[in-house]
């Protein structure tokens, strides 16, 4: 979660993949550098009409360059990375909200604000999430993971450790929806992109979205946790994140992810 309502540890945690969707394009004043997209994952006929918004449209991913990440913030005065990346196999997927205003006119500016706050203000070396999703359903590449062109992963397909749930970061994918979902729900576009992204990641990493008892073990510090394969931040810690309304939607979201995976 955004520092406004959460505390996360730094990246070290010391205390057949589906094709990616990507848009290396412009947002605001950022220059266009090209675009790549792909169709949605195949959805079975069992998907109910009430789920059509979640299952129909493929998501679009904005690169760090596209949303205007200032990469110099990740480095100290001596030119070294504040928190050098490390990588581990994915064990679980976690959903957050950022605690910011809903429906902001310039979501890329919000992502840049969160990035600066968490990288410099919180001293986490980079943004704490692997992915962020705005109200229009655009997905933003989060934590820097290398130069291989695979967001959140290294060339071997392992997840870069981020900083979104204190003590439980390594091997834990963090996805944050921009906004506050304590009393209001995400837009259908944001929810649809979340389902698409979760389905892609779950397929890629052989995760059962309906599994209720995953035995997570942090490979760095040995911390253990047991809970849903797709969880909310509050399932891990005493926090309001990802908001009561969004958290209450997670069972239906897990079902939509499973249906989309076929």
């Amino acid at each position: 979660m955004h520092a406004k309502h959460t505390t996360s540890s730094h990246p070290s945690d010391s205390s057949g993949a589906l094709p990616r969707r990507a848009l290396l394009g412009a947002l605001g004043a950022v220059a266009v550098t090209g675009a790549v997209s792909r169709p949605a994952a195949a959805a079975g006929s069992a998907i109910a009409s009430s789920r059509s918004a979640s299952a129909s449209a493929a998501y679009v991913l904005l690169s760090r360059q596209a949303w205007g990440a200032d990469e110099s913030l990740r480095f100290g005065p001596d030119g070294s990375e504040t928190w050098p990346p490390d990588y581990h196999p994915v064990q679980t997927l976690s959903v957050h909200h950022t605690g910011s205003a809903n429906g902001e006119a310039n979501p890329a500016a919000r992502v840049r604000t969160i990035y600066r706050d968490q990288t410099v203000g919180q001293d986490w070396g980079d943004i704490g999430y692997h992915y962020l999703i705005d109200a229009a359903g655009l997905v933003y590449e989060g934590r820097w993971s290398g130069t291989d062109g695979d967001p959140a992963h290294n060339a071997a397909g392992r997840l870069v450790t981020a900083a979104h749930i204190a003590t439980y970061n390594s091997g834990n994918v963090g996805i944050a929806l921009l906004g506050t979902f304590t009393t209001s729900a995400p837009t259908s576009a944001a929810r649809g992109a979340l389902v698409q992204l979760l389905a892609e990641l779950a397929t890629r990493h052989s995760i059962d979205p309906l599994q209720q008892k995953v035995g997570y073990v942090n490979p760095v510090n040995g911390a253990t946790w047991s809970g849903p394969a797709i969880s909310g931040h509050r399932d891990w810690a005493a926090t309001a994140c990802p908001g009561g309304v969004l958290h209450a939607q997670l069972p239906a979201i897990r079902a939509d992810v499973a249906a989309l995976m076929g």
Side-chain angles (χ1 to χ4, degrees):
M1 302 353 355
H2 190 204
K4 177 179 179 180
H5 63 270
T6 190
T7 301
S8 300
S9 65
H10 59 65
S12 72
D13 255 340
S14 58
S15 27
L18 289 177
R20 297 179 314 281
R21 307 167 181 84
L23 175 63
L24 305 180
L27 206 59
V30 182
V32 176
T33 59
V36 179
S37 62
R38 75 167 177 82
S45 59
I47 298 177
S49 59
S50 62
R51 299 174 180 170
S52 60
S54 294
S56 60
Y59 71 81
V60 172
L61 176 67
L62 301 182
S63 69
R64 290 172 63 92
Q65 179 185 9
W67 58 258
D70 178 356
E71 299 296 355
S72 70
L73 299 181
R74 298 189 292 107
F75 298 86
D78 63 353
S80 63
E81 285 182 288
T82 303
W83 294 110
D86 64 334
Y87 306 89
H88 300 278
V90 170
Q91 300 180 51
T92 187
L93 311 170
S94 300
V95 177
H96 303 260
H97 72 181
T98 59
S100 50
N102 293 332
E104 293 181 302
N106 191 346
R110 172 57 60 187
V111 174
R112 291 191 294 271
T113 296
I114 294 171
Y115 170 53
R116 178 175 288 276
D117 174 57
Q118 296 183 341
T119 304
V120 180
Q122 302 297 318
D123 196 28
W124 296 344
D126 198 348
I127 196 165
Y129 311 110
H130 295 99
Y131 306 91
L132 302 94
I133 301 174
D134 70 18
L138 292 176
V139 180
Y140 298 73
E141 178 184 9
R143 199 171 195 88
W144 188 85
S145 62
T147 59
D148 61 345
D150 189 356
H153 302 78
N154 67 2
R158 294 193 169 197
L159 181 75
V160 67
T161 300
H164 58 102
I165 299 179
T167 309
Y168 305 105
N169 286 307
S170 300
N172 186 356
V173 177
I175 304 171
L177 274 64
L178 298 182
T180 301
F181 305 109
T182 304
T183 60
S184 62
T187 63
S188 60
R191 187 186 186 282
L194 175 63
V195 168
Q196 284 283 340
L197 177 58
L198 287 169
E200 180 174 331
L201 291 166
T203 300
R204 175 174 188 169
H205 296 291
S206 301
I207 291 174
D208 177 1
L210 300 179
Q211 187 174 351
Q212 290 299 307
K213 289 294 180 182
V214 171
Y216 169 88
V217 180
N218 190 314
V220 174
N221 60 24
T224 61
W225 173 86
S226 179
I230 297 175
S231 64
H233 188 181
R234 64 171 59 185
D235 295 315
W236 297 78
T239 175
C241 180
V245 173
L246 176 54
H247 191 265
Q249 290 185 352
L250 287 181
I253 287 171
R254 295 182 191 111
D256 286 358
V257 171
L260 191 57
M261 292 170 67

mmCIF file of all heavy atoms in Angstrom, residues 216-258:
data_model
loop_
_atom_site.group_PDB
_atom_site.id
_atom_site.type_symbol
_atom_site.label_atom_id
_atom_site.label_comp_id
_atom_site.label_asym_id
_atom_site.label_seq_id
_atom_site.Cartn_x
_atom_site.Cartn_y
_atom_site.Cartn_z
ATOM 1 N N TYR A 216 2.970 -20.087 2.290
ATOM 2 C CA TYR A 216 4.047 -19.200 1.851
ATOM 3 C C TYR A 216 5.218 -19.271 2.827
ATOM 4 O O TYR A 216 5.027 -19.243 4.048
ATOM 5 C CB TYR A 216 3.528 -17.764 1.770
ATOM 6 C CG TYR A 216 4.610 -16.712 1.583
ATOM 7 C CD1 TYR A 216 5.037 -16.349 0.306
ATOM 8 C CD2 TYR A 216 5.196 -16.102 2.686
ATOM 9 C CE1 TYR A 216 6.027 -15.391 0.136
ATOM 10 C CE2 TYR A 216 6.188 -15.140 2.523
ATOM 11 C CZ TYR A 216 6.605 -14.795 1.247
ATOM 12 O OH TYR A 216 7.581 -13.845 1.085
ATOM 13 N N VAL A 217 6.430 -19.352 2.269
ATOM 14 C CA VAL A 217 7.650 -19.298 3.063
ATOM 15 C C VAL A 217 8.581 -18.281 2.416
ATOM 16 O O VAL A 217 8.962 -18.448 1.248
ATOM 17 C CB VAL A 217 8.360 -20.658 3.145
ATOM 18 C CG1 VAL A 217 9.635 -20.544 3.976
ATOM 19 C CG2 VAL A 217 7.433 -21.721 3.723
ATOM 20 N N ASN A 218 8.932 -17.238 3.150
ATOM 21 C CA ASN A 218 9.848 -16.245 2.612
ATOM 22 C C ASN A 218 11.232 -16.869 2.468
ATOM 23 O O ASN A 218 11.812 -17.316 3.462
ATOM 24 C CB ASN A 218 9.912 -15.029 3.536
ATOM 25 C CG ASN A 218 10.665 -13.863 2.922
ATOM 26 O OD1 ASN A 218 11.736 -14.024 2.355
ATOM 27 N ND2 ASN A 218 10.097 -12.671 3.050
ATOM 28 N N PRO A 219 11.777 -16.930 1.237
ATOM 29 C CA PRO A 219 13.066 -17.601 1.039
ATOM 30 C C PRO A 219 14.247 -16.834 1.613
ATOM 31 O O PRO A 219 15.347 -17.379 1.695
ATOM 32 C CB PRO A 219 13.172 -17.693 -0.489
ATOM 33 C CG PRO A 219 12.364 -16.536 -0.987
ATOM 34 C CD PRO A 219 11.215 -16.406 -0.026
ATOM 35 N N VAL A 220 14.027 -15.586 2.025
ATOM 36 C CA VAL A 220 15.114 -14.764 2.547
ATOM 37 C C VAL A 220 15.182 -14.805 4.069
ATOM 38 O O VAL A 220 16.247 -15.005 4.643
ATOM 39 C CB VAL A 220 14.976 -13.306 2.063
ATOM 40 C CG1 VAL A 220 16.027 -12.407 2.715
ATOM 41 C CG2 VAL A 220 15.079 -13.236 0.544
ATOM 42 N N ASN A 221 14.018 -14.622 4.713
ATOM 43 C CA ASN A 221 14.038 -14.529 6.183
ATOM 44 C C ASN A 221 13.306 -15.667 6.883
ATOM 45 O O ASN A 221 13.259 -15.714 8.103
ATOM 46 C CB ASN A 221 13.463 -13.182 6.639
ATOM 47 C CG ASN A 221 12.022 -12.980 6.176
ATOM 48 O OD1 ASN A 221 11.299 -13.938 5.919
ATOM 49 N ND2 ASN A 221 11.602 -11.733 6.073
ATOM 50 N N GLY A 222 12.711 -16.587 6.119
ATOM 51 C CA GLY A 222 12.051 -17.741 6.711
ATOM 52 C C GLY A 222 10.660 -17.491 7.250
ATOM 53 O O GLY A 222 10.020 -18.412 7.773
ATOM 54 N N ALA A 223 10.144 -16.251 7.126
ATOM 55 C CA ALA A 223 8.798 -15.946 7.624
ATOM 56 C C ALA A 223 7.757 -16.774 6.880
ATOM 57 O O ALA A 223 7.845 -16.961 5.667
ATOM 58 C CB ALA A 223 8.499 -14.460 7.461
ATOM 59 N N THR A 224 6.757 -17.284 7.605
ATOM 60 C CA THR A 224 5.730 -18.125 6.998
ATOM 61 C C THR A 224 4.360 -17.475 7.128
ATOM 62 O O THR A 224 4.110 -16.645 8.006
ATOM 63 C CB THR A 224 5.698 -19.504 7.665
ATOM 64 O OG1 THR A 224 5.383 -19.353 9.064
ATOM 65 C CG2 THR A 224 7.024 -20.210 7.510
ATOM 66 N N TRP A 225 3.473 -17.874 6.228
ATOM 67 C CA TRP A 225 2.099 -17.356 6.210
ATOM 68 C C TRP A 225 1.243 -18.371 5.488
ATOM 69 O O TRP A 225 1.693 -19.068 4.566
ATOM 70 C CB TRP A 225 2.069 -16.013 5.478
ATOM 71 C CG TRP A 225 0.708 -15.424 5.241
ATOM 72 C CD1 TRP A 225 -0.006 -14.642 6.090
ATOM 73 C CD2 TRP A 225 -0.096 -15.559 4.061
ATOM 74 N NE1 TRP A 225 -1.205 -14.270 5.516
ATOM 75 C CE2 TRP A 225 -1.288 -14.821 4.267
ATOM 76 C CE3 TRP A 225 0.067 -16.226 2.839
ATOM 77 C CZ2 TRP A 225 -2.299 -14.733 3.311
ATOM 78 C CZ3 TRP A 225 -0.929 -16.150 1.888
ATOM 79 C CH2 TRP A 225 -2.090 -15.408 2.135
ATOM 80 N N SER A 226 -0.015 -18.473 5.887
ATOM 81 C CA SER A 226 -0.958 -19.358 5.216
ATOM 82 C C SER A 226 -2.227 -18.589 4.903
ATOM 83 O O SER A 226 -2.803 -17.931 5.793
ATOM 84 C CB SER A 226 -1.288 -20.566 6.099
ATOM 85 O OG SER A 226 -2.218 -21.420 5.455
ATOM 86 N N GLY A 227 -2.650 -18.627 3.645
ATOM 87 C CA GLY A 227 -3.841 -17.895 3.241
ATOM 88 C C GLY A 227 -4.133 -18.098 1.773
ATOM 89 O O GLY A 227 -3.506 -18.926 1.105
ATOM 90 N N PRO A 228 -5.082 -17.339 1.226
ATOM 91 C CA PRO A 228 -5.503 -17.532 -0.168
ATOM 92 C C PRO A 228 -4.377 -17.246 -1.158
ATOM 93 O O PRO A 228 -3.537 -16.368 -0.935
ATOM 94 C CB PRO A 228 -6.642 -16.523 -0.336
ATOM 95 C CG PRO A 228 -7.095 -16.205 1.040
ATOM 96 C CD PRO A 228 -5.875 -16.304 1.909
ATOM 97 N N ALA A 229 -4.398 -17.966 -2.264
ATOM 98 C CA ALA A 229 -3.403 -17.744 -3.314
ATOM 99 C C ALA A 229 -3.496 -16.332 -3.866
ATOM 100 O O ALA A 229 -2.486 -15.728 -4.229
ATOM 101 C CB ALA A 229 -3.592 -18.764 -4.440
ATOM 102 N N ILE A 230 -4.728 -15.807 -3.963
ATOM 103 C CA ILE A 230 -4.960 -14.410 -4.303
ATOM 104 C C ILE A 230 -5.532 -13.756 -3.064
ATOM 105 O O ILE A 230 -6.652 -14.066 -2.648
ATOM 106 C CB ILE A 230 -5.914 -14.260 -5.498
ATOM 107 C CG1 ILE A 230 -5.298 -14.886 -6.753
ATOM 108 C CG2 ILE A 230 -6.247 -12.790 -5.741
ATOM 109 C CD1 ILE A 230 -6.226 -14.889 -7.953
ATOM 110 N N SER A 231 -4.767 -12.880 -2.459
ATOM 111 C CA SER A 231 -5.147 -12.317 -1.164
ATOM 112 C C SER A 231 -5.225 -10.796 -1.233
ATOM 113 O O SER A 231 -4.815 -10.168 -2.214
ATOM 114 C CB SER A 231 -4.112 -12.712 -0.107
ATOM 115 O OG SER A 231 -2.847 -12.138 -0.435
ATOM 116 N N GLY A 232 -5.740 -10.210 -0.166
ATOM 117 C CA GLY A 232 -5.662 -8.775 0.039
ATOM 118 C C GLY A 232 -4.630 -8.485 1.105
ATOM 119 O O GLY A 232 -4.297 -9.355 1.923
ATOM 120 N N HIS A 233 -4.110 -7.279 1.107
ATOM 121 C CA HIS A 233 -3.080 -6.921 2.087
ATOM 122 C C HIS A 233 -3.543 -7.205 3.520
ATOM 123 O O HIS A 233 -2.768 -7.656 4.361
ATOM 124 C CB HIS A 233 -2.717 -5.445 1.916
ATOM 125 C CG HIS A 233 -1.547 -5.002 2.733
ATOM 126 N ND1 HIS A 233 -1.088 -3.715 2.725
ATOM 127 C CD2 HIS A 233 -0.728 -5.660 3.604
ATOM 128 C CE1 HIS A 233 -0.049 -3.596 3.533
ATOM 129 N NE2 HIS A 233 0.185 -4.766 4.083
ATOM 130 N N ARG A 234 -4.821 -6.974 3.797
ATOM 131 C CA ARG A 234 -5.314 -7.173 5.166
ATOM 132 C C ARG A 234 -5.298 -8.635 5.585
ATOM 133 O O ARG A 234 -5.445 -8.943 6.775
ATOM 134 C CB ARG A 234 -6.718 -6.590 5.326
ATOM 135 C CG ARG A 234 -7.779 -7.260 4.476
ATOM 136 C CD ARG A 234 -9.181 -6.788 4.849
ATOM 137 N NE ARG A 234 -9.348 -5.346 4.700
ATOM 138 C CZ ARG A 234 -10.454 -4.693 5.056
ATOM 139 N NH1 ARG A 234 -11.472 -5.345 5.578
ATOM 140 N NH2 ARG A 234 -10.549 -3.402 4.881
ATOM 141 N N ASP A 235 -5.152 -9.553 4.623
ATOM 142 C CA ASP A 235 -5.014 -10.963 4.970
ATOM 143 C C ASP A 235 -3.637 -11.252 5.563
ATOM 144 O O ASP A 235 -3.435 -12.298 6.188
ATOM 145 C CB ASP A 235 -5.225 -11.838 3.738
ATOM 146 C CG ASP A 235 -6.639 -11.754 3.200
ATOM 147 O OD1 ASP A 235 -7.583 -11.813 4.014
ATOM 148 O OD2 ASP A 235 -6.809 -11.594 1.969
ATOM 149 N N TRP A 236 -2.707 -10.330 5.367
ATOM 150 C CA TRP A 236 -1.340 -10.503 5.845
ATOM 151 C C TRP A 236 -1.028 -9.687 7.093
ATOM 152 O O TRP A 236 -0.133 -10.046 7.860
ATOM 153 C CB TRP A 236 -0.352 -10.075 4.760
ATOM 154 C CG TRP A 236 -0.386 -10.862 3.505
ATOM 155 C CD1 TRP A 236 -1.311 -10.752 2.489
ATOM 156 C CD2 TRP A 236 0.524 -11.875 3.100
ATOM 157 N NE1 TRP A 236 -1.005 -11.637 1.477
ATOM 158 C CE2 TRP A 236 0.118 -12.337 1.820
ATOM 159 C CE3 TRP A 236 1.669 -12.425 3.678
ATOM 160 C CZ2 TRP A 236 0.802 -13.325 1.128
ATOM 161 C CZ3 TRP A 236 2.354 -13.410 2.990
ATOM 162 C CH2 TRP A 236 1.922 -13.860 1.734
ATOM 163 N N ALA A 237 -1.721 -8.557 7.256
ATOM 164 C CA ALA A 237 -1.341 -7.623 8.313
ATOM 165 C C ALA A 237 -2.551 -6.815 8.750
ATOM 166 O O ALA A 237 -3.582 -6.795 8.064
ATOM 167 C CB ALA A 237 -0.235 -6.688 7.811
ATOM 168 N N ALA A 238 -2.415 -6.128 9.871
ATOM 169 C CA ALA A 238 -3.492 -5.284 10.385
ATOM 170 C C ALA A 238 -3.504 -3.972 9.614
ATOM 171 O O ALA A 238 -2.780 -3.029 9.937
ATOM 172 C CB ALA A 238 -3.282 -5.028 11.874
ATOM 173 N N THR A 239 -4.300 -3.902 8.567
ATOM 174 C CA THR A 239 -4.383 -2.730 7.707
ATOM 175 C C THR A 239 -5.756 -2.690 7.057
ATOM 176 O O THR A 239 -6.422 -3.733 6.925
ATOM 177 C CB THR A 239 -3.302 -2.770 6.607
ATOM 178 O OG1 THR A 239 -3.482 -1.674 5.707
ATOM 179 C CG2 THR A 239 -3.360 -4.054 5.813
ATOM 180 N N ALA A 240 -6.201 -1.512 6.642
ATOM 181 C CA ALA A 240 -7.473 -1.388 5.925
ATOM 182 C C ALA A 240 -7.339 -1.807 4.471
ATOM 183 O O ALA A 240 -8.336 -2.098 3.812
ATOM 184 C CB ALA A 240 -7.970 0.060 6.004
ATOM 185 N N CYS A 241 -6.149 -1.843 3.966
ATOM 186 C CA CYS A 241 -5.875 -2.155 2.562
ATOM 187 C C CYS A 241 -6.305 -3.584 2.219
ATOM 188 O O CYS A 241 -6.069 -4.490 3.014
ATOM 189 C CB CYS A 241 -4.387 -1.968 2.319
ATOM 190 S SG CYS A 241 -3.857 -2.299 0.650
ATOM 191 N N PRO A 242 -6.941 -3.832 1.098
ATOM 192 C CA PRO A 242 -7.191 -2.940 -0.035
ATOM 193 C C PRO A 242 -8.547 -2.227 0.017
ATOM 194 O O PRO A 242 -9.135 -1.919 -1.023
ATOM 195 C CB PRO A 242 -7.156 -3.900 -1.219
ATOM 196 C CG PRO A 242 -7.784 -5.154 -0.666
ATOM 197 C CD PRO A 242 -7.297 -5.229 0.770
ATOM 198 N N GLY A 243 -9.053 -1.976 1.201
ATOM 199 C CA GLY A 243 -10.371 -1.383 1.366
ATOM 200 C C GLY A 243 -11.423 -2.462 1.508
ATOM 201 O O GLY A 243 -11.360 -3.516 0.864
ATOM 202 N N GLY A 244 -12.409 -2.204 2.354
ATOM 203 C CA GLY A 244 -13.418 -3.223 2.648
ATOM 204 C C GLY A 244 -14.214 -3.662 1.441
ATOM 205 O O GLY A 244 -14.530 -4.851 1.290
ATOM 206 N N VAL A 245 -14.555 -2.726 0.556
ATOM 207 C CA VAL A 245 -15.361 -3.076 -0.612
ATOM 208 C C VAL A 245 -14.570 -3.963 -1.564
ATOM 209 O O VAL A 245 -15.060 -5.000 -2.021
ATOM 210 C CB VAL A 245 -15.868 -1.808 -1.325
ATOM 211 C CG1 VAL A 245 -16.571 -2.176 -2.629
ATOM 212 C CG2 VAL A 245 -16.822 -1.039 -0.422
ATOM 213 N N LEU A 246 -13.332 -3.572 -1.879
ATOM 214 C CA LEU A 246 -12.516 -4.378 -2.783
ATOM 215 C C LEU A 246 -12.194 -5.736 -2.168
ATOM 216 O O LEU A 246 -12.245 -6.767 -2.843
ATOM 217 C CB LEU A 246 -11.233 -3.638 -3.146
ATOM 218 C CG LEU A 246 -10.223 -4.393 -4.024
ATOM 219 C CD1 LEU A 246 -10.882 -4.910 -5.300
ATOM 220 C CD2 LEU A 246 -9.030 -3.496 -4.357
ATOM 221 N N HIS A 247 -11.882 -5.750 -0.875
ATOM 222 C CA HIS A 247 -11.570 -7.029 -0.234
ATOM 223 C C HIS A 247 -12.775 -7.975 -0.293
ATOM 224 O O HIS A 247 -12.617 -9.181 -0.504
ATOM 225 C CB HIS A 247 -11.129 -6.808 1.210
ATOM 226 C CG HIS A 247 -10.554 -8.032 1.844
ATOM 227 N ND1 HIS A 247 -11.296 -8.907 2.613
ATOM 228 C CD2 HIS A 247 -9.292 -8.552 1.806
ATOM 229 C CE1 HIS A 247 -10.527 -9.894 3.027
ATOM 230 N NE2 HIS A 247 -9.314 -9.708 2.555
ATOM 231 N N ALA A 248 -13.975 -7.430 -0.137
ATOM 232 C CA ALA A 248 -15.183 -8.260 -0.202
ATOM 233 C C ALA A 248 -15.416 -8.810 -1.599
ATOM 234 O O ALA A 248 -16.117 -9.816 -1.773
ATOM 235 C CB ALA A 248 -16.397 -7.449 0.254
ATOM 236 N N GLN A 249 -14.854 -8.178 -2.609
ATOM 237 C CA GLN A 249 -15.001 -8.642 -3.987
ATOM 238 C C GLN A 249 -14.009 -9.746 -4.351
ATOM 239 O O GLN A 249 -14.147 -10.383 -5.404
ATOM 240 C CB GLN A 249 -14.816 -7.476 -4.966
ATOM 241 C CG GLN A 249 -15.936 -6.463 -4.955
ATOM 242 C CD GLN A 249 -15.748 -5.396 -6.029
ATOM 243 O OE1 GLN A 249 -14.711 -5.319 -6.693
ATOM 244 N NE2 GLN A 249 -16.760 -4.567 -6.214
ATOM 245 N N LEU A 250 -13.018 -9.985 -3.508
ATOM 246 C CA LEU A 250 -11.971 -10.935 -3.875
ATOM 247 C C LEU A 250 -12.483 -12.351 -4.160
ATOM 248 O O LEU A 250 -11.983 -12.999 -5.089
ATOM 249 C CB LEU A 250 -10.877 -10.965 -2.802
ATOM 250 C CG LEU A 250 -9.951 -9.740 -2.772
ATOM 251 C CD1 LEU A 250 -8.898 -9.899 -1.681
ATOM 252 C CD2 LEU A 250 -9.282 -9.516 -4.121
ATOM 253 N N PRO A 251 -13.456 -12.895 -3.426
ATOM 254 C CA PRO A 251 -13.953 -14.223 -3.808
ATOM 255 C C PRO A 251 -14.490 -14.265 -5.235
ATOM 256 O O PRO A 251 -14.210 -15.221 -5.981
ATOM 257 C CB PRO A 251 -15.053 -14.484 -2.777
ATOM 258 C CG PRO A 251 -14.624 -13.705 -1.574
ATOM 259 C CD PRO A 251 -14.026 -12.438 -2.142
ATOM 260 N N ALA A 252 -15.244 -13.249 -5.639
ATOM 261 C CA ALA A 252 -15.759 -13.203 -7.006
ATOM 262 C C ALA A 252 -14.637 -12.981 -8.011
ATOM 263 O O ALA A 252 -14.654 -13.540 -9.119
ATOM 264 C CB ALA A 252 -16.815 -12.097 -7.142
ATOM 265 N N ILE A 253 -13.656 -12.186 -7.639
ATOM 266 C CA ILE A 253 -12.506 -11.958 -8.516
ATOM 267 C C ILE A 253 -11.734 -13.259 -8.722
ATOM 268 O O ILE A 253 -11.336 -13.597 -9.847
ATOM 269 C CB ILE A 253 -11.613 -10.849 -7.932
ATOM 270 C CG1 ILE A 253 -12.292 -9.493 -8.110
ATOM 271 C CG2 ILE A 253 -10.238 -10.848 -8.603
ATOM 272 C CD1 ILE A 253 -11.606 -8.355 -7.387
ATOM 273 N N ARG A 254 -11.534 -14.020 -7.653
ATOM 274 C CA ARG A 254 -10.839 -15.318 -7.789
ATOM 275 C C ARG A 254 -11.616 -16.238 -8.729
ATOM 276 O O ARG A 254 -11.016 -16.929 -9.566
ATOM 277 C CB ARG A 254 -10.702 -15.990 -6.421
ATOM 278 C CG ARG A 254 -9.817 -15.251 -5.432
ATOM 279 C CD ARG A 254 -9.712 -16.015 -4.119
ATOM 280 N NE ARG A 254 -9.096 -15.199 -3.083
ATOM 281 C CZ ARG A 254 -9.732 -14.723 -2.025
ATOM 282 N NH1 ARG A 254 -11.022 -14.996 -1.821
ATOM 283 N NH2 ARG A 254 -9.098 -13.984 -1.132
ATOM 284 N N ALA A 255 -12.938 -16.245 -8.607
ATOM 285 C CA ALA A 255 -13.757 -17.087 -9.481
ATOM 286 C C ALA A 255 -13.643 -16.643 -10.928
ATOM 287 O O ALA A 255 -13.566 -17.478 -11.850
ATOM 288 C CB ALA A 255 -15.213 -17.037 -9.021
ATOM 289 N N ASP A 256 -13.614 -15.318 -11.166
ATOM 290 C CA ASP A 256 -13.463 -14.819 -12.528
ATOM 291 C C ASP A 256 -12.105 -15.168 -13.099
ATOM 292 O O ASP A 256 -11.981 -15.506 -14.288
ATOM 293 C CB ASP A 256 -13.645 -13.304 -12.543
ATOM 294 C CG ASP A 256 -15.106 -12.884 -12.380
ATOM 295 O OD1 ASP A 256 -15.970 -13.774 -12.297
ATOM 296 O OD2 ASP A 256 -15.360 -11.671 -12.342
ATOM 297 N N VAL A 257 -11.072 -15.095 -12.272
ATOM 298 C CA VAL A 257 -9.738 -15.478 -12.725
ATOM 299 C C VAL A 257 -9.718 -16.950 -13.111
ATOM 300 O O VAL A 257 -9.183 -17.329 -14.169
ATOM 301 C CB VAL A 257 -8.695 -15.191 -11.623
ATOM 302 C CG1 VAL A 257 -7.344 -15.791 -11.993
ATOM 303 C CG2 VAL A 257 -8.562 -13.681 -11.402
ATOM 304 N N ALA A 258 -10.308 -17.795 -12.282
ATOM 305 C CA ALA A 258 -10.340 -19.234 -12.582
ATOM 306 C C ALA A 258 -11.101 -19.516 -13.867
ATOM 307 O O ALA A 258 -10.679 -20.339 -14.694
ATOM 308 C CB ALA A 258 -10.982 -19.991 -11.409
#
